[in-house]
Amino acid sequence: MSVQNRIVLVTGGSRGLGRNAALALAADGADVILTYRSQADAAHQVVADVQALGRRAAALPLDMASSASFGDFAGRVRDTLQGWGASHLQGLLNNAGEGLYAPIAETTPDQFDLLVAVHLKGPYFLTQALLPLIADGGRILNVSSGLARFSLPGSSAYAMMKGGVEVFTRYLAKELGERGISANTLAPGAIETDFGGGRVRDNAQTNAMVASITALGRAGQPDDIGPVAAMLLSPGTGWINAQRVEASGGMFV
């Protein structure tokens, strides 16, 4: 993968970990195409922030729950690349998602189906749609969760989706190996963002619980995750493949 003119697509790049990853990628020398579902103003602010770092950026709308739209979306990505004088992405970060905190006894079929659409079907078929646009020797990074390793009540459905993402990643690595494309999983621990309604950030009791079970003694910050994503998508990490990298500060070690 060429160090020059790297272009990485980040889903869910308007806020939280996606925003931080986009900025970390720009700081590492990559141009960024980011997606957003509804927060257009926030997404365009990230574009401006990336441009302030001297890199190119574009924001495209995308609903991860609408897999029927992915063919058209891939066309918009192709148009963006061509506008930059490029033909391929060098990296894809499947980050977009939403949380659910509900006991098994209270989780509804509609809630479960939405998680499947956003966290399993979405990344699977979006990656499929974008495969022709990912350069040989490129990188795919899928975001999982520490909850796929340890169990906290109320997170069963969400954690199941992330377990599926980790299996999907291993199959990507196996099937795309002949193209030199590596695929890995990044599993953040509990991070202080607005994800899941800001539960870790805004609930003092939850935040304190997280700190008490984390070796580094605090909940994570977005700045703890973005640079890890940028590293795993960088040119020098091609021999890291089919791996699950947890960035949790040492939760439940």
Side-chain angles (χ1 to χ4, degrees):
M1 179 171 59
S2 172
V3 176
Q4 300 297 322
N5 300 319
R6 284 191 297 136
I7 303 172
V8 179
L9 191 151
V10 178
T11 67
S14 65
R15 61 188 179 90
L17 301 187
R19 174 186 180 276
N20 197 272
L23 296 177
L25 284 160
D28 195 44
D31 299 326
V32 179
I33 300 172
L34 62 98
T35 78
Y36 65 94
R37 185 181 62 180
S38 59
Q39 299 186 8
D41 289 345
H44 291 299
Q45 181 58 57
V46 179
V47 168
D49 293 341
V50 169
Q51 291 171 338
L53 293 170
R55 306 308 308 179
R56 296 176 297 187
L60 302 177
L62 176 68
D63 182 355
M64 286 297 294
S66 179
S67 57
S69 71
F70 292 168
D72 290 340
F73 174 76
R76 296 198 301 275
V77 172
R78 183 180 295 107
D79 291 343
T80 301
L81 292 171
Q82 290 175 350
W84 290 351
S87 58
H88 289 88
L89 299 164
Q90 281 67 48
L92 168 63
L93 174 57
N94 282 311
N95 163 77
E98 55 187 81
L100 173 66
Y101 297 98
I104 295 169
E106 298 175 10
T107 299
T108 69
D110 285 347
Q111 288 174 325
F112 193 93
D113 288 347
L114 179 59
L115 289 182
V116 170
V118 171
H119 289 283
L120 279 179
K121 187 177 181 180
Y124 190 103
F125 287 103
L126 179 65
T127 302
Q128 180 191 79
L130 293 174
L131 281 178
L133 296 178
I134 298 175
D136 291 354
R139 308 274 181 271
I140 297 174
L141 183 62
N142 297 321
V143 174
S144 178
S145 171
L147 292 164
R149 175 177 65 86
F150 49 78
S151 302
L152 291 175
S155 296
S156 61
Y158 175 78
M160 286 174 65
M161 306 305 143
K162 293 307 189 180
V165 166
E166 295 186 9
V167 173
F168 174 46
T169 301
R170 295 196 295 272
Y171 273 84
L172 280 173
K174 192 74 169 180
E175 294 190 15
L176 301 180
E178 64 183 9
R179 293 182 54 192
I181 296 174
S182 66
N184 293 290
T185 300
L186 172 60
I191 310 296
E192 293 183 9
T193 69
D194 61 359
F195 186 79
R199 187 166 179 261
V200 175
R201 182 191 62 196
D202 301 332
N203 185 306
Q205 183 177 0
T206 299
N207 194 285
M209 182 276 292
V210 168
S212 72
I213 59 173
T214 301
L216 291 178
R218 61 172 176 83
Q221 301 289 331
D223 283 343
D224 295 319
I225 306 300
V228 181
M231 180 269 292
L232 291 171
L233 289 160
S234 68
T237 58
W239 204 238
I240 301 174
N241 197 22
Q243 300 303 304
R244 177 188 189 275
V245 178
E246 183 172 312
S248 68
M251 291 184 70
F252 288 116
V253 296

